[in-house]
């Protein structure tokens, strides 16, 4: 299972970047045909659960996740708890060189039923989708 690694630099202060990249509802808005359903009351903490639901016309795909590590304003780790998608994701925010912030998104993604032969394609699709989402989250 390949690890997807994405880095984005932003003029935002690290605290502002953190708020944007941990706004789970906004994550869903960055991925086509996706919305985020939050299952636990705010604020976010270890144990927070949410689902990214993707689909159209009654055909949906759920990606349930749980926050297992919460260290604001620096690091969050999510475990994917779905039947179809498993793995984890980490988002780390740190001060950027020369100001602003640098955000590192790491994700290990496994889609059950897909042969390992397709791992490179899964990783490429993940880098594209997650990279685009991260860029949009940091843009506001």
């Amino acid at each position: 299972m390949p690890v997807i690694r994405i880095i984005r630099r932003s003029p935002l202060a690290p605290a502002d970047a953190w708020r944007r990249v941990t706004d789970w509802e906004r994550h869903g808005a960055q991925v086509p045909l996706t919305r985020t359903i939050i299952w636990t009351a705010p604020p976010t903490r270890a144990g927070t659960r949410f689902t990214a639901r993707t689909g159209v016309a009654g055909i949906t795909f759920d990606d349930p996740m749980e926050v297992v590590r919460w260290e604001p304003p620096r690091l969050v780790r999510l475990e994917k708890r779905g039947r179809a998608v498993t793995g984890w994701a980490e988002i780390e925010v740190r001060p950027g060189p020369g100001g602003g912030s640098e955000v590192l998104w790491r994700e290990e993604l496994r889609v059950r039923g897909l042969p390992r032969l397709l791992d490179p394609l899964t990783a490429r699709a993940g880098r594209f989708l997650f990279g685009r989402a991260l860029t949009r989250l940091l843009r506001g």
Side-chain angles (χ1 to χ4, degrees):
M1 187 174 340
V3 175
I4 298 163
R5 188 172 187 268
I6 302 160
I7 296 174
R8 293 290 185 271
R9 290 182 178 83
S10 170
L12 294 170
D16 293 330
W18 173 260
R19 275 191 292 281
R20 289 186 185 193
V21 300
T22 59
D23 181 341
W24 310 124
E25 289 177 335
R26 288 188 66 231
H27 275 248
Q30 309 313 313
V31 179
L33 306 172
T34 301
R35 67 186 176 103
T36 305
I37 304 160
I38 311 293
W39 299 107
T40 50
T44 297
R45 63 198 174 285
T48 292
R49 293 179 309 111
F50 58 93
T51 299
R53 178 168 288 159
T54 303
V56 65
I59 301 170
T60 62
F61 171 88
D62 284 351
D63 183 7
M65 292 170 254
E66 181 178 346
V67 174
V68 295
R69 190 169 170 194
W70 180 251
E71 299 176 15
R74 190 185 74 76
L75 180 71
V76 60
R77 181 179 174 96
L78 308 167
E79 294 286 338
K80 294 177 170 286
R81 306 277 193 210
R83 282 185 251 155
V85 178
T86 61
W88 54 265
E90 286 184 345
I91 303 171
E92 183 178 353
V93 179
R94 51 190 175 214
S101 57
E102 184 174 79
V103 179
L104 173 60
W105 180 313
R106 292 180 297 265
E107 183 146 351
E108 189 174 272
L109 182 66
R110 165 71 49 210
V111 179
R112 291 182 203 223
L114 275 183
R116 291 197 181 267
L117 177 69
L118 296 179
D119 280 356
L121 181 60
T122 301
R124 195 171 349 172
R127 272 191 300 278
F128 173 76
L129 283 173
F130 303 140
R132 188 173 122 177
L134 182 56
T135 297
R136 289 178 172 184
L137 286 165
L138 292 170
R139 246 193 264 157

